[in-house]
Amino acid sequence: QVQLVESGGGSVQAGGSLGLSCAASGSISSINTWGWYRQAPGKQRDLVARITRGGSTTYADSVKGRFTISRDNPKNTVHLQMNSLSPEDTSVYTCNADIQTESPEGFVYTMNYWGKGTLVTVSS
């Protein structure tokens, strides 16, 4: 079974920084695309940032220039560095990954996985 576990959430004052990490464990052949999503109370879950295996990145307009997504392929982890945080960034942040697995019979398949989320609170 594959699991994604986030770490690094917490509380910070406006203008501050936080770093999030997400580690994948289990039967993993490779990880294609990683993504960070966030959901504020009463709102839908939105993409924050995405990074492909080759390192191409995509950011939501609201975080461009402030957030940086990066990945460590050998460690099966993804990071999100968040700078210049504002109260509008307060959300539950959840990582997502497309993970390739090979079964004992030799079948290769890709599935999408979600972490449980970590709360980021930014106070004014």
Side-chain angles (χ1 to χ4, degrees):
Q1 292 293 335
V2 173
Q3 285 189 320
L4 302 184
V5 178
E6 299 98 341
S7 60
S11 298
V12 66
Q13 288 193 327
S17 299
L18 273 179
L20 304 180
S21 295
C22 179
S25 62
S27 179
I28 299 170
S29 295
S30 66
I31 300 176
N32 297 332
T33 299
W34 282 101
W36 282 100
Y37 290 75
R38 67 184 181 185
Q39 185 170 23
K43 295 189 177 181
Q44 67 180 21
R45 182 160 59 187
D46 293 323
L47 174 70
V48 176
R50 180 187 291 137
I51 185 168
T52 67
R53 183 165 181 81
S56 296
T57 57
T58 303
Y59 295 93
D61 288 342
S62 59
V63 307
K64 282 181 180 177
R66 301 188 298 124
F67 290 12
T68 302
I69 188 171
S70 61
R71 61 188 291 166
D72 186 334
N73 291 332
K75 294 184 178 180
N76 290 333
T77 59
V78 66
H79 307 285
L80 185 68
Q81 179 62 37
M82 305 182 293
N83 299 327
S84 301
L85 286 162
S86 71
E88 289 70 33
D89 295 315
T90 295
S91 288
V92 174
Y93 285 72
T94 307
C95 66
N96 173 271
D98 289 327
I99 296 178
Q100 191 174 78
T101 300
E102 183 173 349
S103 72
E105 297 78 18
F107 295 109
V108 177
Y109 56 95
T110 300
M111 291 183 65
N112 186 258
Y113 296 88
W114 291 90
K116 293 184 177 181
T118 184
L119 177 62
V120 171
T121 303
V122 184
S123 58
S124 57

